[in-house]
């Protein structure tokens, strides 16, 4: 019993195409696995960025409110210097402004410690 194998150029081409298709399919599967891992990491980064943006926005609004109060107090002090108010009231406003500023500083330090401990 004798077997004869005939190799034609078309048969070789189909075999090469089949092998290349299998290699390409394996390559695509590996690429998709890496892409899924990368997308998970990007999602984590975006959630961290969202948290940081919310914190910055909240602090910006707080500082804006406090600065409005400080500007009002400075306006009162300027009026006091011009003689529109008594010296006692001007001193009281200065003390209130200083205590408000110290409250801002202490509050921000406390929030930073809290956020650092959460991170």
């Amino acid at each position: 019993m004798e077997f004869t194998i005939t190799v034609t150029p078309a048969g070789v081409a189909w075999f090469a195409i089949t092998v290349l298709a299998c290699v390409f399919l394996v390559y695509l599967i590996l690429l998709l696995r890496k892409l899924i891992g990368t997308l998970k990491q990007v999602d984590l980064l975006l959630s961290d960025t969202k948290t940081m943006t919310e914190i910055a926005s909240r602090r910006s609004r707080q500082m804006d409110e406090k600065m409005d109060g400080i500007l009002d107090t400075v306006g009162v002090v300027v009026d006091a210097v011009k003689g529109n108010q008594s010296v006692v009231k001007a001193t009281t406003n200065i003390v209130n402004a200083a205590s408000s500023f110290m409250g801002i500083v202490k509050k921000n330090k406390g929030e930073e410690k809290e956020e650092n401990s959460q991170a």
Side-chain angles (χ1 to χ4, degrees):
M1 200 151 117
E2 223 176 276
F3 289 104
T4 304
I5 298 176
T6 305
V7 178
T8 63
V12 171
W14 278 110
F15 179 74
I17 289 172
T18 304
V19 169
L20 288 174
C22 289
V23 169
F24 183 68
L25 185 63
V26 169
Y27 179 76
L28 276 178
I29 291 170
L30 293 175
L31 183 67
L32 287 174
R33 287 182 69 200
K34 285 190 176 193
L35 180 64
I36 289 170
T38 301
L39 288 176
K40 286 180 181 178
Q41 294 229 344
V42 167
D43 187 43
L44 288 173
L45 286 173
L46 288 176
S47 67
D48 286 346
T49 302
K50 181 180 177 184
T51 303
M52 296 299 279
T53 303
E54 289 171 353
I55 291 170
S57 173
R58 186 179 68 240
R59 285 196 178 173
S60 175
R61 284 191 301 270
Q62 289 173 348
M63 289 302 293
D64 189 40
E65 292 170 2
K66 299 297 181 181
M67 287 304 292
D68 286 343
I70 291 172
L71 289 174
D72 291 341
T73 303
V74 168
V76 169
V77 170
V78 168
D79 288 343
V81 169
K82 289 181 180 177
N84 293 335
Q85 292 182 347
S86 68
V87 175
V88 173
K89 190 168 184 179
T91 305
T92 302
N93 286 330
I94 291 172
V95 170
N96 288 340
S99 66
S100 174
F101 184 73
M102 291 304 293
I104 292 170
V105 171
K106 287 180 183 178
K107 185 176 180 182
N108 285 341
K109 283 183 182 179
E111 287 177 0
E112 286 176 6
K113 288 180 184 177
E114 181 180 307
E115 289 170 4
N116 289 338
S117 66
Q118 290 177 357

